[in-house]
């Protein structure tokens, strides 16, 4: 009985945190579904991409791959590069996903920017089951993206409501996560390094897909050079 | 247009590329072996640097040098940060920030 209460309490703690993702993924999922259908790609491929690859911005990039000449090797390396930031999420989650048992590969499979942001945004309270918390966030987000894609691909043209700017909801969520981390951490060096290196990469490489890889390389470089001074207690 | 098997292989290739980036850290540093100190250091610090990267990445297409000079983004982000600083309510901060941004790009900086 007690464990059932803890399960429900943990679920109820986690679910509201995904509301911004619910809005963002429905809007962007619909946009993706519409775009795929507008290019004459069948609904099943839109859904397959969202369920199997589940990689947000790379799915937009992949539309071009479906329309161009067949080149799976290029598709593979393109998605490694566009998704390279997941390497950082994995390194960040090595400790947190320890002891997740059979859930672990599933949690890794459905990792996204948004899931990472929620799971890493704040300390999980002691009375919350971490497994339930991580699983709820990860699988709800996955479900939202699937639903959005399906709506967009099947019935996207029926939407007349002006959604311009609505995708800002995900930016807003990342800004909130950043602010929350800033408030709860006294060591601000990693956050400052992240922002400055990313801005530098944006200036150097422009806003194309190389921007992320460039930013990651710069972050690693600066972190490594200034390791001693950066590595004050920064535990979540 | 690609044939059905070609479509399937393209979906698989994109998924495989994505999964390499998601699984690689866990395969290289398995839980049953001690993680190197340097990787532990990155695990402690990267969560904060990476959220910074995501914020900048989301705003990467903002045009700062031409009208509207990134004003919708600057105003919205400032309101989100201040609101969150004083209320600490995630849904409130995200909700107000998003509605404000939508209002600004749809009605003010058209």
């Amino acid at each position: 009985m007690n464990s059932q209460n803890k399960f429900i309490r943990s679920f109820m703690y986690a679910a509201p945190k995904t509301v911004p993702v619910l809005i963002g993924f429905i809007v962007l999922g619909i946009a993706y579904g519409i775009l795929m259908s507008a290019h004459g790609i069948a609904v099943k491929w839109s859904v397959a991409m969202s369920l199997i690859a589940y990689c947000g911005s790379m799915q937009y990039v992949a539309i071009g791959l479906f329309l161009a000449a067949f080149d799976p090797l290029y598709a593979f390396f393109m998605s490694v590069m566009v998704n390279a930031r997941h390497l950082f999420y994995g390194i960040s989650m090595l400790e947190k996903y320890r002891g997740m048992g059979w859930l672990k590969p599933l949690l890794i499979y459905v990792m996204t920017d948004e899931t990472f942001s929620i799971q890493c945004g704040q300390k999980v309270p002691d009375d919350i089951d971490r497994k339930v918390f991580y699983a709820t966030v990860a699988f709800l987000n996955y479900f939202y993206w699937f639903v959005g894609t399906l709506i967009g691909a099947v019935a996207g043209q029926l939407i007349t409501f002006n959604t311009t700017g609505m995708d800002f909801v995900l930016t807003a969520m990342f800004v909130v996560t950043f602010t929350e981390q800033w408030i709860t951490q006294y060591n601000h060096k990693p956050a400052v390094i992240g922002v400055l290196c990313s801005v530098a990469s944006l200036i150097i490489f422009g806003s194309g897909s190389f921007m992320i890889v460039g930013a990651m390389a710069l972050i690693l470089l600066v972190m490594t050079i200034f390791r001693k001074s950066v590595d004050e207690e920064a535990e979540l | 247009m690609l044939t059905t098997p070609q479509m399937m292989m393209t979906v698989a290739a994109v998924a495989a590329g994505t999964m390499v980036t998601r699984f690689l850290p866990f395969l290289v540093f398995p839980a049953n072996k001690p993680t190197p100190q340097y990787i532990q250091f990155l695990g402690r610090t990267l969560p904060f640097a990476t959220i910074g990267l995501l914020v900048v990445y989301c705003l990467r297409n903002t045009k700062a040098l031409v009208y509207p000079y990134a004003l919708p983004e600057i105003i919205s982000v400032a309101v989100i940060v201040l609101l969150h600083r004083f209320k600490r309510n995630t849904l409130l901060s995200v909700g107000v920030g998003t509605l404000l941004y939508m209002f600004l790009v749809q009605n003010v900086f058209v």
Side-chain angles (χ1 to χ4, degrees):
Chain A
M1 195 59 202
N2 202 15
S3 74
Q4 197 184 345
N5 281 346
K6 189 171 186 181
F7 179 89
I8 293 169
R9 189 169 61 239
S10 304
F11 179 84
M12 294 307 286
Y13 171 80
K17 295 190 183 301
T18 67
V19 171
V21 186
L22 167 65
I23 299 165
F25 274 19
I26 294 292
V27 170
L28 290 168
I30 287 175
Y32 173 68
I34 291 176
L35 213 53
M36 287 283 276
S37 293
H39 283 98
I41 301 169
V43 175
K44 63 184 175 188
W45 298 116
S46 306
V47 173
M49 281 297 284
S50 288
L51 288 181
I52 300 169
Y54 183 50
C55 52
S57 52
M58 182 58 209
Q59 286 183 228
Y60 283 89
V61 175
I63 296 175
L65 302 174
F66 290 129
L67 302 172
F70 179 57
D71 193 346
L73 206 61
Y74 176 75
F76 176 83
F77 285 111
M78 190 72 191
S79 65
V80 168
M81 195 176 86
V82 173
N83 290 306
R85 63 194 185 282
H86 285 107
L87 295 170
F88 277 15
Y89 305 158
I91 293 172
S92 303
M93 296 317 250
L94 283 174
E95 293 303 317
K96 294 190 177 65
Y97 280 178
R98 214 178 269 269
M100 288 292 135
W102 59 271
L103 266 177
K104 192 170 171 178
L106 295 176
L107 289 172
I108 297 170
Y109 194 101
V110 298
M111 176 56 87
T112 64
D113 303 333
E114 295 73 15
T115 299
F116 174 75
S117 171
I118 296 173
Q119 292 181 344
C120 241
Q122 47 196 261
K123 197 173 159 51
V124 184
D126 291 334
D127 62 334
I128 297 299
D129 185 332
R130 297 174 71 91
K131 269 189 194 177
V132 178
F133 173 71
Y134 288 145
T136 303
V137 170
F139 299 137
L140 278 180
N141 290 352
Y142 182 66
F143 180 68
Y144 302 152
W145 183 245
F146 159 69
V147 172
T149 304
L150 191 63
I151 296 174
V154 174
Q157 66 279 11
L158 301 177
I159 295 163
T160 50
F161 167 64
N162 187 355
T163 56
T164 308
M166 210 173 182
D167 51 352
F168 190 77
V169 68
L170 295 177
T171 310
M173 192 183 77
F174 296 134
V175 171
V176 168
T177 301
F178 187 88
T179 311
E180 182 68 30
Q181 288 183 341
W182 189 276
I183 295 169
T184 53
Q185 301 295 317
Y186 66 88
N187 177 12
H188 294 153
K189 286 169 192 163
V192 172
I193 289 172
V195 170
L196 292 184
C197 289
S198 305
V199 171
S201 176
L202 184 61
I203 293 168
I204 299 167
F205 300 112
S207 61
S209 43
F210 204 69
M211 179 240 153
I212 298 179
V213 180
M216 288 172 66
L218 278 177
I219 288 170
L220 278 182
L221 185 71
V222 174
M223 292 274 211
T224 306
I225 294 173
F226 299 102
R227 176 173 172 182
K228 279 221 166 59
S229 115
V230 172
D231 196 16
E232 299 165 17
E233 275 303 294
E235 207 83 47
L236 260 177
Chain B
M1 199 76 194
L2 303 181
T3 64
T4 297
Q6 287 177 334
M7 288 291 282
M8 287 167 72
M9 283 180 69
T10 305
V11 173
V14 172
T18 306
M19 291 315 152
V20 164
T21 64
R22 284 180 183 154
F23 279 92
L24 197 60
F26 295 92
L27 297 177
V28 177
F29 308 109
N32 56 11
K33 281 185 193 153
T35 309
Q37 288 291 323
Y38 176 67
I39 300 300
Q40 287 186 28
F41 154 67
L42 290 180
R44 280 194 299 275
T45 49
L46 281 185
F48 308 99
T50 313
I51 297 293
L53 165 62
L54 275 175
V55 170
V56 176
Y57 178 70
C58 280
L59 297 169
R60 70 193 183 285
N61 291 318
T62 306
K63 301 273 178 286
L65 301 177
V66 292
Y67 183 85
Y69 307 106
L71 282 173
E73 285 80 8
I74 291 169
I75 295 169
S76 306
V77 168
V79 167
I80 292 168
V81 170
L82 287 175
L83 195 59
H84 198 71
R85 169 75 181 74
F86 292 109
K87 292 283 185 190
R88 289 290 288 279
N89 181 329
T90 300
L91 291 182
L92 181 76
S93 311
V94 171
V96 170
T98 306
L99 289 174
L100 174 65
Y101 182 80
M102 288 176 72
F103 175 75
L104 291 176
V105 294
Q106 287 184 18
N107 300 297
V108 182
F109 303 100
V110 193

